[in-house]
Amino acid sequence: MANTFSFVGYLKPIKSTEKFNSFSTTKFDSGWINERLVFNVRAGDNTHRVEINAGRWADEKKNVIYGFTKGENGNKGETIQITWAKRNDPDVIESMAGWKIFTVDTETYKHRKELEEAGETEALEAANKKRKHFLAGTEFCEYVNRVVNSEKTKDMKFRVNGNVTYRYSEKNDQYYSAYEVTKIYRVDDDAEVSSEMNIDFYFTDDAIDATDYTETGRATVSGYTQYYDSSVKRNCFCPITLAMRFGTDTDGMETLAYWNDIFTEFEDDTVRHVGLKCDEINGAQRVQVTYDDLSDKVKRAIKVGAKKLEDALQEAGGTIMGDRIQEIRIIGFGRGFSDAETTSYEVEDLIKKPTVDVDIFAENEDEDEDDL
């Protein structure tokens, strides 16, 4: 199970500076061209930095796209090579499996349905043209750059889907992750924002730490997630820590006890595996206003009986922005899981690192990520 994300929010361009370009093209002496786009998805209190990385040859004759066809009549699809000239052929795109197609749609499903039911043929045709499919990653990257920076889309809400990728730098002895976008769909204006992730999680019997949960309301689970490392051409494991925040009331403590059982039930020294649905939290989170947050003047009014505490809390807005939090928070089981399962892996498999250094696309400390 690959790690995936699905963020619902607003597309926000990142301002380029002298040291950083949100959209960059790098040309090499070999004739290879790399393109990279970085932008933010603002989902409520969270801001997610996502990106697209793609490449092609300057000499179009050298470009070949490796596709995978749809399965038909009970038969599995197959890998095929697509010439550059055929990359935008509608019949070729239609024959591809969905996961091999990049998509951008700036119209909503609901609006198309309304046009169809009303018999608005011409309007429906125009709406359908707003759905673009690509087989070439560079063309997808260039088109998304236009969409992200368009005045027409700045107030539109989108679902941004993709894969969480991982790389290891032997030089820095560090793992890096990125949110690689593959599909962007416009959603209704009233759609709820979300920051959902699906994590493929491997762990051992010492994974959970809930020592200070009653004081902090936060527990952690440390383990690993699997990814394919092209530098060594095998599956590897990247360390990852997940958070749990269920509250400290009776229901919250019961929920914590349930997950504690999931992460501590071991018959022997084994590696266990579970798919998890999580939220990617990245930003200052809203928290409930408490008595301590009120001004001294309001506290004095409460003390002398001139104002009730519940009225003062309500007048203060009910919530305030708390500390900035960056964590991946467990929500529930991923699809197909209702418990963890034993694997044939050993601890040595989890801690073994790739031995060949690869180019990294980690976040640069000097990059200016202020929104426009």
Side-chain angles (χ1 to χ4, degrees), residues 6 96 250 295 327:
S6 184
M96 291 296 100
T250 302
S295 68
E327 65 187 19

Side-chain angles (χ1 to χ4, degrees), residues 47 59-60 90 98 158 189 201 214 251 276-277 335 356 360:
T47 299
D59 181 358
E60 293 186 357
F158 290 89
D189 293 339
F201 192 66
T214 55
D251 290 342
L276 296 170
K277 180 179 177 181
R335 182 178 297 178
V356 179
I360 62 175

Side-chain angles (χ1 to χ4, degrees), residues 14-22 24 36-40 49-51 360-371:
I14 297 175
K15 183 168 59 179
S16 295
T17 66
E18 291 183 2
K19 297 181 179 180
F20 167 75
N21 287 318
S22 58
S24 60
R36 185 187 187 213
L37 172 66
V38 185
F39 62 97
N40 286 330
R49 176 187 168 114
V50 300
E51 58 190 73
I360 62 175
F361 45 85
E363 295 181 11
N364 190 320
E365 294 289 340
D366 297 326
E367 291 177 1
D368 186 350
E369 298 182 21
D370 291 337
D371 291 348

